[in-house]
Amino acid sequence: RIALIHQDETLTYQRLDERANQVAALLRDRGTTDNALVGIMVAPSFAMIVGILGILKAGAGYVYLEKALPDERIEFVLGEAKIAVVLVDPDVKQRVAALGVDALDLEAESVAYPATRRAAVRDAPPRRAYAVFTSGSTGAPKGACVDHRGLVNHTCSFIENHDLDENDRVLQFASPSFD
């Protein structure tokens, strides 16, 4: 079945799962540990969803970074969240690498990565799913983390409250950096 539609292209659940597993394996091999935060600076696309799912499958959480943010803000978030790896589109790879982190071109690095088997599920304490950074009332951004349980609870509640099933489609319209 089709999992994603973007413009005139589609991606099946099987291919989405395989690609997310490739990203997860790449991140684990690059030293991403459970509960770490991984940055993602990718335009809305299949790659963005693949990257987010791959980060989650690696046992980490993600921080979505808008390309339009000034470098000073990105550098602050990277430091505050202790981010060592950022999944990027090719057009921002040099920019992000110049900020002192490992900038991985999501398409080039993960598509060539051999691991397509399902990522192992590990028993662990609650993990962060993602972190968002507010504008901050004091002028300094403040990070807030959401764990997997909170995200799953929200998703189940949304499905139940809107009576969604496998035949429904949901439009993603808000920025991934917005909670």
Side-chain angles (χ1 to χ4, degrees):
R1 295 188 69 153
I2 294 173
L4 300 174
I5 300 170
H6 180 69
Q7 297 173 350
D8 293 333
E9 296 181 65
T10 61
L11 191 67
T12 65
Y13 282 101
Q14 179 179 352
R15 188 66 186 125
L16 174 61
D17 189 47
E18 290 170 351
R19 289 182 60 195
N21 289 336
Q22 288 174 299
V23 172
L26 171 66
L27 289 171
R28 294 301 283 192
D29 284 353
R30 288 289 184 106
T32 299
T33 58
D34 287 349
N35 228 15
L37 289 172
V38 174
I40 183 164
M41 187 183 282
V42 177
S45 61
F46 291 158
M48 182 185 76
I49 302 300
V50 166
I52 289 171
L53 290 175
I55 291 167
L56 295 174
K57 284 177 169 246
Y62 70 90
V63 176
Y64 188 81
L65 301 162
E66 299 279 351
K67 290 182 181 185
L69 289 173
D71 287 350
E72 297 78 30
R73 166 88 177 212
I74 294 169
E75 192 169 27
F76 177 85
V77 170
L78 294 174
E80 190 73 13
K82 297 177 178 58
I83 293 172
V85 177
V86 179
L87 301 177
V88 298
D89 280 333
D91 63 322
V92 293
K93 183 173 182 167
Q94 297 283 352
R95 176 182 171 208
V96 172
L99 297 174
V101 295
D102 192 4
L104 299 177
D105 178 340
L106 184 58
E107 288 295 316
E109 302 256 2
S110 67
V111 170
Y113 210 77
T116 57
R117 68 185 180 284
R118 183 171 297 260
V121 176
R122 296 173 305 279
D123 290 333
R127 287 196 187 100
R128 295 182 276 195
Y130 62 93
V132 293
F133 281 78
T134 67
S135 57
S137 58
T138 63
K142 181 180 176 186
C145 290
V146 175
D147 68 19
H148 283 267
R149 289 182 298 186
L151 181 58
V152 169
N153 184 52
H154 169 75
T155 303
C156 290
S157 175
F158 188 85
I159 290 168
E160 183 178 318
N161 287 333
H162 297 285
D163 198 28
L164 300 177
D165 65 24
E166 67 275 4
N167 297 309
D168 291 310
R169 304 291 179 263
V170 178
L171 174 67
Q172 194 261 316
F173 58 90
S175 166
S177 65
F178 181 76
D179 186 32

